[in-house]
Amino acid sequence: MNFMQPITDTVLQVHDLHTHFLTETAVVKAVNGVSFSLKPGERVAIVGESGSGKSAMAMSLIRLLAYPGKIVSGEVIVGGRDITKLSEAELNGVRGSEVGTIFQDPMSSLDPVMRVSEQMIPPIMRNLGLPRKEARDIAVGWLDRVGIPDAAGRIDAYPFEMSGGMRQRVMIAMALSCNPRLIIADEPTTALDVTIQAQIVELLKNLTAETGAAMLFITHDLGLVARFAHKVGVMYAGKIVEFGSAADVFAHPRHPYTQSLLRTIPNAAGAERERLLQIPGFPPDMRNPPVGCSFRERCAAAQDRCAVSTPELTFRGVDHSAACFLPNGLNDAPAPPKPVKRAIRLSNEADLVPQQDILEMHNLRKHFPGKATFPWSKPKTVRAVNGVNLRMRKGETLGIVGESGCGKSTLARLLLGLDEPTTGEIFIAGIAQMVFQDPYSSFNPKMTIFNIIEEPLIVTGAGTRPERAEKVRALIKQVGLEESYLDRYPNQLSGGQRQRVGVARALALNPSVVVADEPTSALDVSVRAQIINLLCDLKDDLGISFIFISHDLLTVRYISDRIAVMYLGEVVEYGPAEDVFLKPAHPYTRALIDAIPTPDPAIEAQRSINIISGELPSPLNIPTGCAFASRCFKVTDRCREEKPVLVAHSQKRDAACHFPL
Amino acid sequence: MLTYSFNRLLQLVVTTLGVVTLVFFTLRLIPGDAASAMAGETLSGEALDRLRDQMGLNKPILIQYFEYLRNLVSLNFGDTITTGLSIGDLLLTAIPITLAIAVATIVLTIIISIPLGTLAAYLAHKGHKTLDNLITGTAMLVDLMPSFWTALVFLLLFSLTLGLFPASGTVSLDEPVAFLHRIALPVLVLSVTQIATMARITRTAVLEVLSEDYIRTARSMGWSELRVLFRHALKNAALPIVTVVGLSFGSLLNGTIIVEFIFTIPGLGSLLVNGINSRDYQLVQTLIVFYALFFVSVNFFTDLVYKRLDPRVQF
């Protein structure tokens, strides 16, 4: 402990911060009066959906806003000085040395043409006033501390020679290298895989505990907040609408927005699959923020006064405040919205006649030829899908989970016939259609919604023009949109609406199987619930079989009847969703489940988390034994030599492990 | 780096051989040959045939081709057809002059255009539209002016009206000061257009880089705007800039032909124009090969610089 430093009890004080983006056509009021403070060693999460102003707020704190962003008013006190009033030169004395910043995308946040050493050492020399050699030692020390193997050698690597997870570790080492007392992390794990995310979160937790630095953590993931934060601030329309200790806010949310948000995500605790809450309407347009409470148009408890005056943050207990006129938010509404008791109907065994297999994959493989090192050497093969056997019955939903690079998207492409399998066979009764991940780039922007949905009908020559129009109108209603949307263009729709159109297009040809490849990962939490509900309804109403590919295990568990866990192109575990989730048989499944944070601080605190170490091996060099051997905590010599095959583990479950859990 | 250089060098040789081959056969496709051009209308059919024998034009074309290659490799370029002077000697005096003009132009261009373009990019990035528009607009305007026109205007203004630079006179490398004074105006003419192009390219490249995430990272570590601009932004923007510098060398060679002609400078350009005018096959053929060699070499060095600047570049 350094006793020479004056003892102050706040590292950061933000007071009534307003940040606007002065574009040519309008003023976007991104941040509208945010106040909070951070104590040393405290981890505060700011959570909100896209457009809530959380990133603009975080970047304002250290004045890293891009043009035309501008801090209009307010104070940001760091180390006794108001950041908003510092000169450019004074500001440079604060950045890096007093405030470290970790950014979202590790792939683009490091200078691609400079070695890690060139990026890390000069700031240490400058901020700590050290000669190059000592600065280098410190840099190597930090790289070692953040878990970079062979740090002394790797410091001279270029960023492109490292994986995304490693680059984010470098970013963290860089941000912490000058001993800042405050760390701002803007969605530091959003671009990473779940398993790597878990490692990084654990690392950040330990580092803040060791250094005593305070951390402001910007995220949209409520699960991460529960796992990571002491306190949480919920942002909506440029304001903090609720602030308090994480445990308290999750257990007793007071603001209607927080209350709604927590019910849009699948329940972590229970097997009863209650229908997810949909928040009606859209966030306000920040060019013209409404007078009064900005959430009132989407709030079931809204009253007349909400339209007239704006509720301010008021205390609701120790360390807990909310900006709502009602002390208990939605619970005080005259008619609190009841959870719709349309439970998700699980396809039970009796409905599923074995003869009605709708999809079968036999020993499916897809190998891509790699690039040879020399023209005469044999090119290496990427084994993207390496022997998959699965079957699906009519009306069943199969969830496929795994880290990126495990072959789940290649499998989807094979099912749709977009790629030819190298070996193996696929039998589909009927046809398969696809819902894509990104509703922004999977449509032709020059086509109307009508044309987009009609296109598959034209291609297959289905029906006459009036028949097709009739079908398109039926489809758009089926996915819960008005007919008037048919004349619009994709850019006039929100992300959720676009994904509905994507679903409608997939349904146009009456498919028997719909493959949805990460259909919700590009969407905000509240919109995500709408799409999940829609898929559940379609499954019930039309009896369509879904293949739901995702890395979001909670959602997969919620929507699927069965889960197949993939690792390096192979299925390592397969069985009923609840069974797999509650009693994983394969160590990898267990590791995946552990990696996913649950949106409940109470559960998170009690979990014994086994963070999986290492990263996915290159599919170029698949180990001879068990593919998972390099990262498994139960590994033995047998695993390294003898490859386990997928065999029946219990009555309903298959697992590929010599020593199942 | 070594394998990379070797690979590139191999490509350079192959490309040059291709150019030489192409030039040789294309010139043989043109109706009439060197002998008839040399003889004009003075020789009878029989005498012409004797001349052809003498010049080796009656040998099978492939034999001629390989002899030509052998001569090139041993730096024996033969004599001009019309004047009988040694082409090797002519090149030896002309190449340094043209090279001096080209190098001076490139140096001047880089010194002025890159800071100018970077400044414009920075202004645009920070939202100072007026100044940026002024720089960009002027550059655009200058870029549109053809070099023969600027050459004449500059000649009229700086040479004839103001008398600052000579418009004609001897060109000799033995007197460096007089030489520089003599080539100053042609270099200026060539640079003006080049600067305009390069400044615009630099602006675009730097502006794009300035909105990259790693620039924000550099700022977050407390670096000054100047260091962010020159150490991080320009270093990344250098890749497209270097490419354009390499490519603009082609248009620069084009430009030297025009300005050498206008300013009566006995460089490669003047030699080429004279050669074409007098239908001197031998001379023109050699000059084309040399121009091609210049161009290919510049591309070779561009690639090496590129590799040096961007560690990610493969082959």
Side-chain angles (χ1 to χ4, degrees), chain B residues 263-278:
Chain B
F263 290 93
T264 58
I265 289 171
L268 283 182
S270 302
L271 215 54
L272 185 68
V273 173
N274 291 336
I276 292 171
N277 282 343
S278 56

mmCIF file with all atom_site columns, all heavy atoms in Angstrom, chain B residues 263-278:
data_model
loop_
_atom_site.group_PDB
_atom_site.id
_atom_site.type_symbol
_atom_site.label_atom_id
_atom_site.label_alt_id
_atom_site.label_comp_id
_atom_site.label_asym_id
_atom_site.label_entity_id
_atom_site.label_seq_id
_atom_site.pdbx_PDB_ins_code
_atom_site.Cartn_x
_atom_site.Cartn_y
_atom_site.Cartn_z
_atom_site.occupancy
_atom_site.B_iso_or_equiv
_atom_site.pdbx_formal_charge
_atom_site.auth_seq_id
_atom_site.auth_comp_id
_atom_site.auth_asym_id
_atom_site.auth_atom_id
_atom_site.pdbx_PDB_model_num
ATOM 1   N N   . PHE B 1 263 ? 11.096 22.113 -73.190 1.00 0.00 ? 263 PHE B N   1
ATOM 2   C CA  . PHE B 1 263 ? 12.225 22.884 -72.650 1.00 0.00 ? 263 PHE B CA  1
ATOM 3   C C   . PHE B 1 263 ? 13.553 22.541 -73.340 1.00 0.00 ? 263 PHE B C   1
ATOM 4   O O   . PHE B 1 263 ? 14.607 22.901 -72.831 1.00 0.00 ? 263 PHE B O   1
ATOM 5   C CB  . PHE B 1 263 ? 12.340 22.648 -71.141 1.00 0.00 ? 263 PHE B CB  1
ATOM 6   C CG  . PHE B 1 263 ? 11.234 23.271 -70.345 1.00 0.00 ? 263 PHE B CG  1
ATOM 7   C CD1 . PHE B 1 263 ? 10.101 22.563 -70.019 1.00 0.00 ? 263 PHE B CD1 1
ATOM 8   C CD2 . PHE B 1 263 ? 11.324 24.605 -69.929 1.00 0.00 ? 263 PHE B CD2 1
ATOM 9   C CE1 . PHE B 1 263 ? 9.080  23.146 -69.298 1.00 0.00 ? 263 PHE B CE1 1
ATOM 10  C CE2 . PHE B 1 263 ? 10.299 25.178 -69.200 1.00 0.00 ? 263 PHE B CE2 1
ATOM 11  C CZ  . PHE B 1 263 ? 9.169  24.456 -68.883 1.00 0.00 ? 263 PHE B CZ  1
ATOM 12  N N   . THR B 1 264 ? 13.453 21.832 -74.459 1.00 0.00 ? 264 THR B N   1
ATOM 13  C CA  . THR B 1 264 ? 14.634 21.382 -75.209 1.00 0.00 ? 264 THR B CA  1
ATOM 14  C C   . THR B 1 264 ? 15.751 20.849 -74.303 1.00 0.00 ? 264 THR B C   1
ATOM 15  O O   . THR B 1 264 ? 16.849 21.387 -74.247 1.00 0.00 ? 264 THR B O   1
ATOM 16  C CB  . THR B 1 264 ? 15.206 22.514 -76.106 1.00 0.00 ? 264 THR B CB  1
ATOM 17  O OG1 . THR B 1 264 ? 15.526 23.625 -75.276 1.00 0.00 ? 264 THR B OG1 1
ATOM 18  C CG2 . THR B 1 264 ? 14.238 22.889 -77.179 1.00 0.00 ? 264 THR B CG2 1
ATOM 19  N N   . ILE B 1 265 ? 15.404 19.819 -73.556 1.00 0.00 ? 265 ILE B N   1
ATOM 20  C CA  . ILE B 1 265 ? 16.392 19.176 -72.689 1.00 0.00 ? 265 ILE B CA  1
ATOM 21  C C   . ILE B 1 265 ? 16.766 17.828 -73.295 1.00 0.00 ? 265 ILE B C   1
ATOM 22  O O   . ILE B 1 265 ? 15.875 17.028 -73.595 1.00 0.00 ? 265 ILE B O   1
ATOM 23  C CB  . ILE B 1 265 ? 15.831 18.999 -71.263 1.00 0.00 ? 265 ILE B CB  1
ATOM 24  C CG1 . ILE B 1 265 ? 15.734 20.370 -70.604 1.00 0.00 ? 265 ILE B CG1 1
ATOM 25  C CG2 . ILE B 1 265 ? 16.699 18.060 -70.436 1.00 0.00 ? 265 ILE B CG2 1
ATOM 26  C CD1 . ILE B 1 265 ? 15.015 20.370 -69.308 1.00 0.00 ? 265 ILE B CD1 1
ATOM 27  N N   . PRO B 1 266 ? 18.044 17.573 -73.523 1.00 0.00 ? 266 PRO B N   1
ATOM 28  C CA  . PRO B 1 266 ? 18.438 16.347 -74.224 1.00 0.00 ? 266 PRO B CA  1
ATOM 29  C C   . PRO B 1 266 ? 18.427 15.111 -73.340 1.00 0.00 ? 266 PRO B C   1
ATOM 30  O O   . PRO B 1 266 ? 19.453 14.488 -73.120 1.00 0.00 ? 266 PRO B O   1
ATOM 31  C CB  . PRO B 1 266 ? 19.857 16.665 -74.700 1.00 0.00 ? 266 PRO B CB  1
ATOM 32  C CG  . PRO B 1 266 ? 20.368 17.628 -73.682 1.00 0.00 ? 266 PRO B CG  1
ATOM 33  C CD  . PRO B 1 266 ? 19.205 18.427 -73.206 1.00 0.00 ? 266 PRO B CD  1
ATOM 34  N N   . GLY B 1 267 ? 17.260 14.766 -72.836 1.00 0.00 ? 267 GLY B N   1
ATOM 35  C CA  . GLY B 1 267 ? 17.137 13.555 -72.025 1.00 0.00 ? 267 GLY B CA  1
ATOM 36  C C   . GLY B 1 267 ? 16.583 12.425 -72.861 1.00 0.00 ? 267 GLY B C   1
ATOM 37  O O   . GLY B 1 267 ? 16.535 12.501 -74.096 1.00 0.00 ? 267 GLY B O   1
ATOM 38  N N   . LEU B 1 268 ? 16.137 11.382 -72.179 1.00 0.00 ? 268 LEU B N   1
ATOM 39  C CA  . LEU B 1 268 ? 15.579 10.232 -72.871 1.00 0.00 ? 268 LEU B CA  1
ATOM 40  C C   . LEU B 1 268 ? 14.363 10.598 -73.697 1.00 0.00 ? 268 LEU B C   1
ATOM 41  O O   . LEU B 1 268 ? 14.161 10.085 -74.786 1.00 0.00 ? 268 LEU B O   1
ATOM 42  C CB  . LEU B 1 268 ? 15.168 9.156  -71.848 1.00 0.00 ? 268 LEU B CB  1
ATOM 43  C CG  . LEU B 1 268 ? 16.259 8.297  -71.225 1.00 0.00 ? 268 LEU B CG  1
ATOM 44  C CD1 . LEU B 1 268 ? 15.626 7.288  -70.288 1.00 0.00 ? 268 LEU B CD1 1
ATOM 45  C CD2 . LEU B 1 268 ? 17.059 7.590  -72.297 1.00 0.00 ? 268 LEU B CD2 1
ATOM 46  N N   . GLY B 1 269 ? 13.574 11.521 -73.177 1.00 0.00 ? 269 GLY B N   1
ATOM 47  C CA  . GLY B 1 269 ? 12.352 11.916 -73.857 1.00 0.00 ? 269 GLY B CA  1
ATOM 48  C C   . GLY B 1 269 ? 12.646 12.528 -75.214 1.00 0.00 ? 269 GLY B C   1
ATOM 49  O O   . GLY B 1 269 ? 12.036 12.156 -76.223 1.00 0.00 ? 269 GLY B O   1
ATOM 50  N N   . SER B 1 270 ? 13.582 13.470 -75.228 1.00 0.00 ? 270 SER B N   1
ATOM 51  C CA  . SER B 1 270 ? 13.944 14.103 -76.487 1.00 0.00 ? 270 SER B CA  1
ATOM 52  C C   . SER B 1 270 ? 14.490 13.076 -77.461 1.00 0.00 ? 270 SER B C   1
ATOM 53  O O   . SER B 1 270 ? 14.176 13.090 -78.651 1.00 0.00 ? 270 SER B O   1
ATOM 54  C CB  . SER B 1 270 ? 15.004 15.181 -76.252 1.00 0.00 ? 270 SER B CB  1
ATOM 55  O OG  . SER B 1 270 ? 14.517 16.125 -75.340 1.00 0.00 ? 270 SER B OG  1
ATOM 56  N N   . LEU B 1 271 ? 15.299 12.168 -76.918 1.00 0.00 ? 271 LEU B N   1
ATOM 57  C CA  . LEU B 1 271 ? 15.878 11.114 -77.739 1.00 0.00 ? 271 LEU B CA  1
ATOM 58  C C   . LEU B 1 271 ? 14.763 10.281 -78.380 1.00 0.00 ? 271 LEU B C   1
ATOM 59  O O   . LEU B 1 271 ? 14.822 9.955  -79.574 1.00 0.00 ? 271 LEU B O   1
ATOM 60  C CB  . LEU B 1 271 ? 16.739 10.225 -76.828 1.00 0.00 ? 271 LEU B CB  1
ATOM 61  C CG  . LEU B 1 271 ? 18.014 9.627  -77.424 1.00 0.00 ? 271 LEU B CG  1
ATOM 62  C CD1 . LEU B 1 271 ? 18.895 10.688 -78.031 1.00 0.00 ? 271 LEU B CD1 1
ATOM 63  C CD2 . LEU B 1 271 ? 18.777 8.862  -76.344 1.00 0.00 ? 271 LEU B CD2 1
ATOM 64  N N   . LEU B 1 272 ? 13.762 9.972  -77.596 1.00 0.00 ? 272 LEU B N   1
ATOM 65  C CA  . LEU B 1 272 ? 12.658 9.147  -78.077 1.00 0.00 ? 272 LEU B CA  1
ATOM 66  C C   . LEU B 1 272 ? 11.891 9.882  -79.186 1.00 0.00 ? 272 LEU B C   1
ATOM 67  O O   . LEU B 1 272 ? 11.593 9.309  -80.233 1.00 0.00 ? 272 LEU B O   1
ATOM 68  C CB  . LEU B 1 272 ? 11.717 8.804  -76.921 1.00 0.00 ? 272 LEU B CB  1
ATOM 69  C CG  . LEU B 1 272 ? 10.577 7.854  -77.270 1.00 0.00 ? 272 LEU B CG  1
ATOM 70  C CD1 . LEU B 1 272 ? 11.111 6.467  -77.575 1.00 0.00 ? 272 LEU B CD1 1
ATOM 71  C CD2 . LEU B 1 272 ? 9.559  7.780  -76.153 1.00 0.00 ? 272 LEU B CD2 1
ATOM 72  N N   . VAL B 1 273 ? 11.589 11.172 -78.937 1.00 0.00 ? 273 VAL B N   1
ATOM 73  C CA  . VAL B 1 273 ? 10.826 11.944 -79.925 1.00 0.00 ? 273 VAL B CA  1
ATOM 74  C C   . VAL B 1 273 ? 11.612 12.017 -81.243 1.00 0.00 ? 273 VAL B C   1
ATOM 75  O O   . VAL B 1 273 ? 11.061 11.786 -82.326 1.00 0.00 ? 273 VAL B O   1
ATOM 76  C CB  . VAL B 1 273 ? 10.525 13.355 -79.384 1.00 0.00 ? 273 VAL B CB  1
ATOM 77  C CG1 . VAL B 1 273 ? 9.890  14.217 -80.447 1.00 0.00 ? 273 VAL B CG1 1
ATOM 78  C CG2 . VAL B 1 273 ? 9.617  13.255 -78.173 1.00 0.00 ? 273 VAL B CG2 1
ATOM 79  N N   . ASN B 1 274 ? 12.914 12.287 -81.125 1.00 0.00 ? 274 ASN B N   1
ATOM 80  C CA  . ASN B 1 274 ? 13.743 12.353 -82.333 1.00 0.00 ? 274 ASN B CA  1
ATOM 81  C C   . ASN B 1 274 ? 13.778 11.012 -83.042 1.00 0.00 ? 274 ASN B C   1
ATOM 82  O O   . ASN B 1 274 ? 13.683 10.944 -84.266 1.00 0.00 ? 274 ASN B O   1
ATOM 83  C CB  . ASN B 1 274 ? 15.171 12.774 -81.974 1.00 0.00 ? 274 ASN B CB  1
ATOM 84  C CG  . ASN B 1 274 ? 15.217 14.220 -81.513 1.00 0.00 ? 274 ASN B CG  1
ATOM 85  O OD1 . ASN B 1 274 ? 14.335 15.001 -81.861 1.00 0.00 ? 274 ASN B OD1 1
ATOM 86  N ND2 . ASN B 1 274 ? 16.216 14.554 -80.708 1.00 0.00 ? 274 ASN B ND2 1
ATOM 87  N N   . GLY B 1 275 ? 13.912 9.946  -82.242 1.00 0.00 ? 275 GLY B N   1
ATOM 88  C CA  . GLY B 1 275 ? 13.976 8.602  -82.810 1.00 0.00 ? 275 GLY B CA  1
ATOM 89  C C   . GLY B 1 275 ? 12.716 8.272  -83.582 1.00 0.00 ? 275 GLY B C   1
ATOM 90  O O   . GLY B 1 275 ? 12.769 7.747  -84.700 1.00 0.00 ? 275 GLY B O   1
ATOM 91  N N   . ILE B 1 276 ? 11.579 8.625  -83.004 1.00 0.00 ? 276 ILE B N   1
ATOM 92  C CA  . ILE B 1 276 ? 10.309 8.322  -83.670 1.00 0.00 ? 276 ILE B CA  1
ATOM 93  C C   . ILE B 1 276 ? 10.183 9.135  -84.959 1.00 0.00 ? 276 ILE B C   1
ATOM 94  O O   . ILE B 1 276 ? 9.797  8.623  -85.995 1.00 0.00 ? 276 ILE B O   1
ATOM 95  C CB  . ILE B 1 276 ? 9.121  8.593  -82.712 1.00 0.00 ? 276 ILE B CB  1
ATOM 96  C CG1 . ILE B 1 276 ? 9.152  7.573  -81.572 1.00 0.00 ? 276 ILE B CG1 1
ATOM 97  C CG2 . ILE B 1 276 ? 7.811  8.534  -83.453 1.00 0.00 ? 276 ILE B CG2 1
ATOM 98  C CD1 . ILE B 1 276 ? 8.180  7.869  -80.456 1.00 0.00 ? 276 ILE B CD1 1
ATOM 99  N N   . ASN B 1 277 ? 10.550 10.419 -84.852 1.00 0.00 ? 277 ASN B N   1
ATOM 100 C CA  . ASN B 1 277 ? 10.432 11.291 -86.012 1.00 0.00 ? 277 ASN B CA  1
ATOM 101 C C   . ASN B 1 277 ? 11.271 10.794 -87.185 1.00 0.00 ? 277 ASN B C   1
ATOM 102 O O   . ASN B 1 277 ? 10.866 10.913 -88.341 1.00 0.00 ? 277 ASN B O   1
ATOM 103 C CB  . ASN B 1 277 ? 10.864 12.721 -85.648 1.00 0.00 ? 277 ASN B CB  1
ATOM 104 C CG  . ASN B 1 277 ? 9.763  13.430 -84.884 1.00 0.00 ? 277 ASN B CG  1
ATOM 105 O OD1 . ASN B 1 277 ? 8.611  12.988 -84.917 1.00 0.00 ? 277 ASN B OD1 1
ATOM 106 N ND2 . ASN B 1 277 ? 10.114 14.500 -84.191 1.00 0.00 ? 277 ASN B ND2 1
ATOM 107 N N   . SER B 1 278 ? 12.447 10.226 -86.881 1.00 0.00 ? 278 SER B N   1
ATOM 108 C CA  . SER B 1 278 ? 13.313 9.784  -87.967 1.00 0.00 ? 278 SER B CA  1
ATOM 109 C C   . SER B 1 278 ? 13.180 8.284  -88.221 1.00 0.00 ? 278 SER B C   1
ATOM 110 O O   . SER B 1 278 ? 14.015 7.699  -88.895 1.00 0.00 ? 278 SER B O   1
ATOM 111 C CB  . SER B 1 278 ? 14.767 10.144 -87.651 1.00 0.00 ? 278 SER B CB  1
ATOM 112 O OG  . SER B 1 278 ? 15.110 9.578  -86.398 1.00 0.00 ? 278 SER B OG  1
#
